[in-house]
Amino acid sequence: MMTGFRLNLSPLKEPLGFVKLVEWLTAIFAFGSCGGFSGRNVLSFFCGDSRNETLSANYHYPFRLSQVPLIEGNTTICNHSVSTTYMVGDSASSSEFFVGIAVICFLYSMLALLVYLGYMHVYKDSDFGPIFDFLITAILVFLWLVCSSAWAKGLQNVKDATDTDGLSATLALCKGSNITCEVTEFANMRTLNISVVFGYLNMFVWAGNAWFVYKETRWHSQKVTSQSGHGRQQVPAPI
């Protein structure tokens, strides 16, 4: 059996290769829209003496908010001394899990495309290649579901921690005084919302690809052979 590299672009015209190319692209959008995020919310203080002051809350991936200082050092706000204060919350595990799965799928898609385009003759002539491909694809479908759901919950936690109620809860200044605290400028989280959408989209794309990979395995060919064998009717011998 010849095992050398043979460039053949025809698999890209078939569902097996074309969907893998789509998976490669959607994985890029998934980790790119989440991993590069950096945002800023502006918290405004409406002091009782008609004065207004503002405070910037800067946060970014991986959203380890409990390590992000909201106020550094002793600061005076509305004639009140406020010590160093950190934001509340930590969505690093869910965001890093999401980005990690996206990067793994990105790399695996490239490897699979390399095999499809250069070693398809080896892939089709062996049982190991299609079966391994199918098992990895099935596992990644499940991981996309888990990481997308976890990140969707983590993103909601980030939104809750950086809105008016979340930031006000971290400052004693905003509790039980004549000072009103309100977030007057929000960071644009459109890319983060898009990342969640791409997470679930990847799950559906990989689930669809699992069927095309399954058709390349011997399990499918044996099933088709068995069904065709049962479909044949025995012709009675002439008397």
Side-chain angles (χ1 to χ4, degrees), residues 32-198:
S33 57
C34 177
F37 179 84
S38 179
R40 179 178 71 98
N41 285 9
V42 176
L43 181 64
S44 296
F45 301 90
F46 301 96
C47 308
D49 55 359
S50 300
R51 288 187 302 108
N52 298 338
E53 297 187 25
T54 60
L55 182 68
S56 295
N58 300 290
Y59 53 98
H60 52 81
Y61 175 85
F63 309 104
R64 194 169 281 108
L65 301 181
S66 59
Q67 298 181 9
V68 177
L70 182 60
I71 297 176
E72 294 188 78
N74 293 327
T75 304
T76 300
I77 301 176
C78 294
N79 298 324
H80 289 72
S81 179
V82 184
S83 59
T84 300
T85 305
Y86 290 86
M87 299 173 70
V88 176
D90 190 342
S91 296
S93 58
S94 60
S95 62
E96 290 176 338
F97 180 35
F98 179 83
V99 171
I101 294 300
V103 171
I104 289 173
C105 289
F106 167 76
L107 296 175
Y108 182 75
S109 297
M110 284 200 304
L111 177 62
L113 283 172
L114 175 64
V115 173
Y116 294 166
L117 301 181
Y119 298 94
M120 183 56 80
H121 55 289
V122 179
Y123 180 88
K124 287 183 175 291
D125 288 342
S126 66
D127 290 336
F128 174 77
I131 291 176
F132 176 81
D133 194 13
F134 173 72
L135 293 177
I136 294 298
T137 301
I139 292 172
L140 290 175
V141 171
F142 174 73
L143 291 177
W144 271 121
L145 173 62
V146 174
C147 75
S148 298
S149 300
W151 171 227
K153 180 62 171 63
L155 176 56
Q156 187 58 52
N157 292 339
V158 172
K159 292 179 178 178
D160 292 341
T162 56
D163 65 7
T164 297
D165 293 336
L167 293 179
S168 297
T170 64
L171 296 171
L173 182 69
C174 299
K175 305 173 185 177
S177 65
N178 60 345
I179 302 173
T180 301
C181 304
E182 181 181 353
V183 175
T184 54
E185 184 178 332
F186 288 88
N188 189 343
M189 292 190 177
R190 185 179 303 135
T191 57
L192 297 182
N193 294 328
I194 290 175
S195 70
V196 174
V197 173
F198 270 105

